Amino acid sequence: MAMSGRLLAGVALAAVTAMPAAAQRQAGDDAWSAGRYEEARRAYDRVLAEDPQDARANLRLGILLSWDGRLDSSLVLLTRARSAEPDDADIGLAKARVLGWHSRFEEAVALYDSLLAGQPALREAAIGRARTLSWGGRLDEAERGYADILARDSTAAEARLGLAQVSAWRGALADAERQYRRVLAADALNVDALVGLGYVYQWQGRNSPAARLAREALAADSANPGARTLDLVVRRATRSTVETGGNWSNDSDRNTNFWQTVNGSGRVSDAVRVFGSAAALEAADPIRDATRIGGEAGLTVTMGNVQLTGAGGARRLTPDTAASRTAGTYRARGSWRPVPRLGLNAGYARYPFDETALLIERDLDLESLEGGADVRLADGLSVYGSAGGTWLSDGNYRSNASAGVVRTFRRRFSIGASGRTLGYDRRGVGYFSPDRFRLLEGVVGYSLEGERWDGHVSAGLGAQQIGQDGVAQSEWHVEARVGRRWGAGNRIEGFGGVTNSALSSTSGAFRYRTAGVALKLGL
């Protein structure tokens, strides 16, 4: 019986393979309609073997390849399909959609525009165009596109969802929540709305209702990628974590530091999270060694658009050439975002000035008070600034101010400029303390985030002036990091950087290097 079954299967396969292209196409269409996509793939492959220009086979194989993430290969087939049937709207929509997934936003928008020029009422093209604009960071244009669709049909759920997503990406979370609730009022099981509203709650720090919405979305569609990702994000945010790492730094004054850290945090409620840390530093220069061991504990309280953090601890400082001492550490910080485009913050800290072996033996403490603001002028364009003062226990005082602007393109590329100035009342012993220091720098950056891996690289070039009578000198920096995630909240990261900025080293050295690794585990 087994031999007969294999013989019959072989005969059937041979018969299917020998079918003419028209029959293969029909077999592929039937399998596609029934959701048997692997069977459809095989049939369409055989169609293309006989007729490489067959529009339907190219279209559907291109769609299948896009589902597998093979976007370049998908576009080859979809381009071939569109060449064969240039007026077919389904082919145009499929190609524009894949161009958007491939981050080729300008090409995708141009193709959607072409489709809408021929068929102004083609809603799929209007929705796709607005969605692609939002992916490309052109949120104002995306918002207008969705609003135009809703003006013609207020029941268009996809446009309402898109409008809510644009509001959420802008930080207008209250408006996004209203839009998602309007969709859910009409369809309580709309998975996209459940997921979107869940993210709004999660970004607001309301993890309990976010977790409930993730469960509801998974109950409605257990395979939905968005629901599964939201569930993972919420579990990462609510799990207790432990982080450990090791860092190394060295400057051209031959100050070398190596420190190890262990941090832990846990969620008490949606509003309260507690944390603690311990750290050990081994510092050395050409003539002395010193160690620092310390720890702190604190909590963060979130109340709507206000967040408060406070922590206290102690450090044990042990230089080779002076008596050991124990010093307390205290810090507090508050932030307030009255509207999505504006954030305000202020902070206070008191701790030992102990960043090098020489400073550990100098028996210095400092207190600092600082405030700042950030403003999002337009989508992808932000400015920020801060100012503060620092009082040292040797009677010295430092004032400082900084400001910058950052423009982000396509969520990956960024370009910006920043400036900083500081000055001390007098020259201190053992630390970089010019009467004036100025730095102006242009910066470019690139970020990439995948399902498991993420990374960022940035570089800056500018000028610095040390002292009121100093001459301008070139300044630069390069830094990079790469990380890998797994499970719910686990991550390992390596990082490194090098700069010639005098400000980077406590001693004012003209070359500063740093490297390290960090591991975060969810409990």
Side-chain angles (χ1 to χ4, degrees):
M1 290 293 291
M3 179 64 72
S4 298
R6 286 197 294 271
L7 179 61
L8 287 173
V11 170
L13 178 60
V16 169
T17 304
M19 291 168 61
Q24 295 284 9
R25 188 185 301 108
Q26 185 60 53
D29 292 347
D30 292 342
W32 180 275
S33 299
R36 302 192 303 271
Y37 296 117
E38 283 305 313
E39 183 181 332
R41 187 195 303 266
R42 290 191 294 270
Y44 289 133
D45 278 335
R46 290 190 287 270
V47 171
L48 292 185
E50 291 191 35
D51 181 7
Q53 303 305 315
D54 187 278
R56 187 179 303 168
N58 277 298
L59 168 64
R60 290 184 171 172
L61 283 175
I63 292 173
L64 291 174
L65 287 171
S66 73
W67 292 351
D68 292 339
R70 298 165 61 186
L71 303 183
D72 287 320
S73 298
S74 171
L75 286 171
V76 169
L77 296 183
L78 294 173
T79 299
R80 192 185 298 163
R82 187 156 170 79
S83 297
E85 296 287 349
D87 297 325
D88 189 300
D90 289 336
I91 297 174
L93 288 168
K95 183 177 179 181
R97 189 178 305 116
V98 176
L99 285 169
W101 292 346
H102 205 359
S103 299
R104 292 165 61 176
F105 303 125
E106 298 299 329
E107 295 174 69
V109 170
L111 182 48
Y112 282 126
D113 285 338
S114 175
L115 292 167
L116 289 167
Q119 301 182 53
L122 188 60
R123 179 183 290 181
E124 293 87 344
I127 292 287
R129 182 181 188 277
R131 183 182 296 121
T132 303
L133 288 168
S134 68
W135 291 344
R138 296 161 61 180
L139 300 184
D140 288 337
E141 295 175 73
E143 184 177 55
R144 288 194 295 270
Y146 286 129
D148 288 344
I149 297 167
L150 289 169
R152 294 191 295 269
D153 181 4
S154 61
T155 65
E158 282 187 286
R160 184 74 62 191
L161 287 168
L163 202 58
Q165 188 176 65
V166 168
S167 296
W169 286 352
R170 277 196 168 131
L173 300 182
D175 183 59
E177 180 178 352
R178 286 192 294 271
Q179 298 286 358
Y180 282 126
R181 288 194 175 280
R182 289 189 64 175
V183 176
L184 291 171
D187 179 6
L189 296 180
N190 187 299
V191 175
D192 291 333
L194 291 170
V195 170
L197 184 56
Y199 273 112
V200 168
Y201 286 154
Q202 202 274 323
W203 293 336
Q204 291 173 330
R206 300 161 63 187
N207 287 298
S208 295
R212 173 179 56 79
L213 289 172
R215 291 192 297 270
E216 291 180 16
L218 287 170
D221 182 359
S222 60
N224 184 273
R228 296 173 70 175
T229 302
L230 173 63
D231 179 64
L232 182 61
V233 167
V234 173
R235 285 192 287 123
R236 285 175 178 169
T238 55
R239 292 180 74 176
S240 298
T241 62
V242 172
E243 300 180 54
T244 184
N247 298 43
W248 166 91
S249 69
N250 172 265
D251 64 30
S252 54
D253 281 350
R254 299 171 65 189
N255 291 293
T256 300
N257 289 352
F258 179 73
W259 61 99
Q260 308 93 49
T261 59
V262 178
N263 307 306
S265 67
R267 172 177 171 267
V268 177
S269 67
D270 277 350
V272 180
R273 194 169 187 89
V274 297
F275 58 85
S277 66
L281 167 68
E282 300 173 48
D285 63 28
I287 61 175
R288 63 179 63 79
D289 296 328
T291 60
R292 179 188 82 196
I293 298 175
E296 72 166 8
L299 57 82
T300 296
V301 179
T302 302
M303 301 173 290
N305 56 7
V306 175
Q307 187 174 84
L308 303 173
T309 297
R315 295 178 186 175
R316 180 67 175 173
L317 309 178
T318 308
D320 283 351
T321 55
S324 300
R325 72 181 181 110
T326 300
T329 65
Y330 317 95
R331 62 185 176 94
R333 188 169 188 83
S335 64
W336 177 42
R337 191 162 290 278
V339 294
R341 291 182 178 270
L342 172 64
L344 305 172
N345 63 81
Y348 165 82
R350 178 183 174 86
Y351 52 90
F353 198 7
D354 53 9
E355 297 180 33
T356 66
L358 175 59
L359 286 172
I360 288 175
E361 76 173 26
R362 286 275 293 121
D363 195 19
L364 286 174
D365 295 313
L366 57 79
E367 289 185 275
S368 67
L369 184 63
E370 188 160 338
D374 63 90
V375 182
R376 189 165 64 252
L377 298 178
D379 298 325
L381 178 62
S382 299
V383 297
Y384 59 88
S386 66
T390 301
W391 294 262
L392 284 77
S393 57
D394 65 356
N396 210 352
Y397 171 76
R398 181 187 75 202
S399 60
N400 62 273
S402 63
V405 57
V406 179
R407 178 74 168 94
T408 302
F409 302 90
R410 298 185 178 183
R411 301 189 184 178
R412 293 185 180 179
F413 297 95
S414 63
I415 185 170
S418 64
R420 179 165 184 173
T421 181
L422 63 82
Y424 284 81
D425 283 352
R426 59 179 174 81
R427 186 176 180 84
V429 178
Y431 56 93
F432 180 56
S433 48
D435 56 359
R436 186 172 70 188
F437 175 87
R438 290 178 175 175
L439 171 67
L440 182 63
E441 183 182 49
V443 182
V444 295
Y446 178 77
S447 299
L448 185 62
E449 184 168 352
E451 184 177 352
R452 296 292 182 184
W453 291 89
D454 62 77
H456 178 79
V457 61
S458 68
L461 179 64
Q464 59 185 350
Q465 180 192 26
I466 302 172
Q468 292 188 20
D469 300 324
V471 297
Q473 304 166 334
S474 64
E475 180 275 344
W476 54 267
H477 84 265
V478 177
E479 57 187 35
R481 65 169 179 81
V482 62
R484 188 182 188 280
R485 302 182 300 274
W486 74 95
N490 305 316
R491 187 174 188 275
I492 187 168
E493 176 185 272
F495 56 89
V498 60
T499 181
N500 77 334
S501 172
L503 187 61
S504 298
S505 169
T506 304
S507 64
F510 280 93
R511 187 63 58 88
Y512 181 80
R513 314 165 192 87
T514 184
V517 63
L519 174 66
K520 178 180 180 180
L521 298 174
L523 302 181

